[in-house]
Amino acid sequence: MPMEDAQVFVISVAAELAGMHPQTLRQYDRLGLVSPGRARGRGRRYSLRDVATLREVQRLSHEEGVNLAGIKRILALESEVERLRAQVEILRAMADPGHRVFTAAPGGDVVALPRGRRPARPTAAGALVLWRPTSR
């Protein structure tokens, strides 16, 4: 079975799996509802995750009556929630007694530094450094 993010399906197969017309998939790509990969000849290649997204778009549209702009916003919010959940899990894993300093890079990555180690001087981009002293 292909990996969930492996871009393996041509547009006709993805359309059939999603229960849609290929032209609908092209329109959703133009609107940014789904962003399939591209093959060398610029043909779209869809993953299982893309097909699941297409099915969710169809469900929201037909069963819930949500317009395409609303669906795009819902998908963006769901993606943001997933990203934040992953970040929380990283922070939970880092929040053990051996870690005291967390730094946030300009790109948003969080890095924990072991006790007694200071972060490197900030770069021109200026990383944010947060410190919480241990209670005694």
Side-chain angles (χ1 to χ4, degrees):
M1 177 151 172
M3 302 248 325
E4 194 172 289
D5 291 322
Q7 297 167 338
V8 296
F9 303 114
V10 295
I11 192 166
S12 59
V13 173
E16 185 175 334
L17 290 171
M20 299 177 175
H21 191 276
Q23 193 61 35
T24 304
L25 274 64
R26 289 182 187 94
Q27 180 68 20
Y28 288 173
D29 183 12
R30 282 190 292 275
L31 294 172
L33 293 172
V34 66
S35 299
R38 298 286 181 164
R40 283 192 180 169
R42 301 291 297 148
R44 293 170 175 87
R45 294 292 184 269
Y46 293 84
S47 68
L48 287 173
R49 185 182 308 272
D50 293 331
V51 171
T53 299
L54 290 166
R55 287 180 178 160
E56 180 65 3
V57 168
Q58 187 173 42
R59 186 191 72 75
L60 288 168
S61 176
H62 292 111
E63 294 176 20
E64 304 294 332
V66 181
N67 66 23
L68 294 179
I71 291 171
K72 185 173 183 177
R73 183 70 176 138
I74 289 168
L75 294 176
L77 289 170
E78 287 177 346
S79 176
E80 181 69 5
V81 167
E82 274 307 307
R83 187 189 70 74
L84 291 171
R85 281 185 180 146
Q87 189 70 32
V88 166
E89 288 307 311
I90 290 169
L91 291 172
R92 279 189 180 142
M94 291 179 180
D96 65 46
H99 290 96
R100 293 290 186 256
V101 177
F102 297 87
T103 64
D109 295 330
V110 176
V111 179
L113 298 174
R115 174 181 267 169
R117 184 165 168 227
R118 291 182 176 244
R121 292 191 142 246
T123 63
L128 170 67
V129 178
L130 301 175
W131 177 71
R132 184 179 76 190
T134 57
S135 56
R136 295 184 187 234

